[in-house]
Amino acid sequence: VDRLRRAVYNALLDQDLQFHEERSVGELTSRLSADCSAVAEVFSLRFNIFFKNLVSLAFGSAFLLWTSWRLSVSLLLVWGVLSVVTRWYGGFVTSLATQRQELTAKVNEAAEESLSLIQTVRSLGLEDQSKEKFANASAAVSEVEALRFSGYALFHGASTAISSAILMLTLVLGGGLVAKGMLTVELLIASILYVDQVLQASCHVVDEFASLLRVVGTSKVVFDLAQLDVSPTARAP
C-alpha cells in the first residue's frame, strides 16, 4: 500500500500543468488518502477473513460429502442461488463504490476550495454559498450510502432466508433417509451440524467477496493514476 501511495504521488508529480488544471487538489488528495486506505483494508483484513471461511467451507463440504452425498446435493442448491445473488450484489456495490469515491472527491474539492481561499470567501461574503455547495456534495454521498446500506440489508436478508430454507430442506431429506434406513440418526445430526457450518461459511465467503468487489470499484481510479505515463512537458529542461 505504501508503494501504491508513492506510485500515485510520483505519477501525479510527473503530469503536465494541464492535467492539474483539470483536477482539483481536493480530488487528488482524496485519491491518495481515502482510496489507498481502502486498498489497505483489503490486504490487512478482508483477504484473511475470506480465506479463513473458504477453508472452513472446503473442509465442511468434504466431510458432508463423505457422510452423505445425498444430503450434499442441498449444497448445490445454496451455492447456485448464492452465486446469482452475489453476482447482482457484487455489481451493485462495485458501481456504488465508484460513485461514492467520485462524490467524496467532490466533497474534498468543495472543502479545499473554500478553506484555501478563506480570505477571498470572507471578503466577498461567500460563506453561505460555500456552505451550500459543501452541503449538497455531502448530501450526495449520504444518498449513495443509504443505497448501499439498503442493498446490504437486502443481501443479508436474502442470504439468511436461503440458508434457513436449505437447512430445513436438509432436515426433511435427512429424515426421509433415516426412515428408509439409508442413514443413521447420529450421521444425520452430524450432517445437520456440518450443513449449518457450510451455510454460514458460504454466506461469509460471499459477503467478503462482495466486499472485495466494492474495494475494486473504489480503487480503480487509484490504479489508473499509478499507471499514468510521465508527461514529456512535466519537467523543465
Side-chain angles (χ1 to χ4, degrees), residues 103-104 106-107 110 128-144:
L103 294 174
T104 301
K106 291 184 178 180
V107 170
D128 292 338
Q129 291 89 329
S130 298
K131 292 177 182 179
E132 182 179 0
K133 181 178 180 180
F134 183 84
N136 292 335
S138 181
V141 176
S142 298
E143 291 177 1
V144 172

Side-chain angles (χ1 to χ4, degrees), residues 89 92 146-160:
Y89 182 68
F92 177 74
L147 284 176
R148 185 170 70 88
F149 290 145
S150 299
Y152 185 81
L154 181 62
F155 170 72
H156 276 274
S159 300
T160 302

Side-chain angles (χ1 to χ4, degrees), residues 22-27 102-117 121 125-143:
E22 295 174 351
R23 295 164 177 81
S24 66
V25 176
E27 176 187 353
E102 294 291 340
L103 294 174
T104 301
K106 291 184 178 180
V107 170
N108 292 337
E109 177 184 349
E112 183 269 335
E113 179 181 304
S114 57
L115 294 178
S116 63
L117 301 174
V121 171
L126 300 176
E127 291 90 344
D128 292 338
Q129 291 89 329
S130 298
K131 292 177 182 179
E132 182 179 0
K133 181 178 180 180
F134 183 84
N136 292 335
S138 181
V141 176
S142 298
E143 291 177 1

Side-chain angles (χ1 to χ4, degrees), residues 125-214:
L126 300 176
E127 291 90 344
D128 292 338
Q129 291 89 329
S130 298
K131 292 177 182 179
E132 182 179 0
K133 181 178 180 180
F134 183 84
N136 292 335
S138 181
V141 176
S142 298
E143 291 177 1
V144 172
E145 284 295 299
L147 284 176
R148 185 170 70 88
F149 290 145
S150 299
Y152 185 81
L154 181 62
F155 170 72
H156 276 274
S159 300
T160 302
I162 293 170
S163 300
S164 300
I166 294 299
L167 193 60
M168 293 178 61
L169 177 62
T170 303
L171 182 59
V172 172
L173 292 176
L177 293 176
V178 171
K180 295 178 180 179
M182 303 174 66
L183 189 68
T184 64
V185 176
E186 291 79 8
L187 284 179
L188 174 60
I189 295 175
S191 298
I192 295 284
L193 293 176
Y194 273 94
V195 165
D196 185 54
Q197 174 188 334
V198 169
L199 289 175
Q200 292 184 22
S202 299
C203 290
H204 288 309
V205 167
V206 167
D207 188 23
E208 294 304 323
F209 181 72
S211 298
L212 294 177
L213 291 178
R214 175 176 59 84

